[in-house]
Amino acid sequence: AWVESPLQLLSIIEAHAAGIVGLETVVVPRAGAQSLASTVAEVAQMHLPSGVRIASPQLSFPRRVDMCAVGDGFSGVVQWWLVAQRPERVVVVDDGLATIEMMRLLALPWAALTRARAAARSRRRIGRWFLGLLAAHTVRIAARHGGVDVFTAMPVPADLASAVRAQGIGLYIHYFQWLRAQPSPPVPDEPTIVIGSS
């Protein structure tokens, strides 16, 4: 499993605990992401589900695998890996609202996996669009053979859920059951809690 954010890390562990990704899951954090590094350190102190191992941070996917779990389908690292390796099975986990946008694009027959807000010079934008198109094509081919699942805690509109399933993509909704079952510190006395990130 390749993770680039704290939410992706937690979602991968949830997917493993739910039996979506298999019996053994090696989580590879992307090197250089400070918020991810601190989350990895915290999660490593928890009681991880049996079969989960967190590897050392790396800059790219470590090797060829037949199955992968990813969070950000718009990531250039993820897209290059999908196009080059053409995995038989892909599990997509949450990366915030980008997960919903990715599902929306995959439900369309010829849409490329490109961020709506991405701005670049025209040549670079064309390159990103082409890579996003190839990555989407790779995922759609795997979906036709039952090889793509989305594991999300995001609210998925019924019409989008139907459209995604019509493409052969499995859709699983979760509520962070593994995380909720972890022992937690005492609740702060402060009645108002402000959270400053996703």
Side-chain angles (χ1 to χ4, degrees):
W2 173 257
V3 296
E4 298 177 291
S5 74
L7 179 57
Q8 292 175 27
L9 172 64
L10 294 174
S11 298
I12 290 286
I13 295 170
E14 291 289 345
H16 178 92
I20 302 299
V21 295
L23 300 175
E24 299 286 329
T25 302
V26 178
V27 180
V28 181
R30 184 175 185 160
Q34 186 55 43
S35 63
L36 179 57
S38 58
T39 305
V40 166
E42 288 294 322
V43 167
Q45 296 177 28
M46 295 180 174
H47 180 69
L48 291 172
S50 177
V52 172
R53 181 172 65 84
I54 300 178
S56 298
Q58 298 184 25
L59 290 173
S60 62
F61 277 91
R63 61 189 170 130
R64 169 132 175 85
V65 293
D66 292 327
M67 183 274 194
C68 70
V70 298
D72 184 2
F74 299 110
S75 162
V77 173
V78 170
Q79 290 184 351
W80 276 112
W81 187 85
L82 287 170
V83 170
Q85 302 297 335
R86 298 187 180 275
E88 295 174 7
R89 183 150 184 263
V90 179
V91 176
V92 178
V93 298
D94 276 330
D95 189 42
L97 290 174
T99 307
I100 300 296
E101 178 64 6
M102 182 179 178
M103 283 191 282
R104 187 186 72 74
L105 293 171
L106 287 173
L108 301 171
W110 292 104
L113 292 177
T114 55
R115 294 184 204 279
R117 67 181 190 276
R121 292 186 304 225
S122 61
R123 202 173 356 175
R124 191 169 181 190
R125 187 176 20 224
I126 290 169
R128 285 182 182 168
W129 175 83
F130 189 66
L131 178 60
L133 185 65
L134 291 175
H137 181 68
T138 299
V139 172
R140 288 186 188 104
I141 288 173
R144 283 188 210 123
H145 299 97
V148 179
D149 293 311
V150 175
F151 185 78
T152 182
M154 300 296 293
V156 181
D159 59 338
L160 179 57
S162 296
V164 164
R165 289 183 174 121
Q167 293 290 330
I169 298 172
L171 179 58
Y172 300 90
I173 308 295
H174 73 96
Y175 302 97
F176 289 99
Q177 291 91 326
W178 170 80
L179 187 59
R180 289 174 189 263
Q182 298 305 301
S184 60
V187 175
D189 292 332
E190 175 61 48
T192 302
I193 299 173
V194 177
I195 300 175
S197 78
S198 61

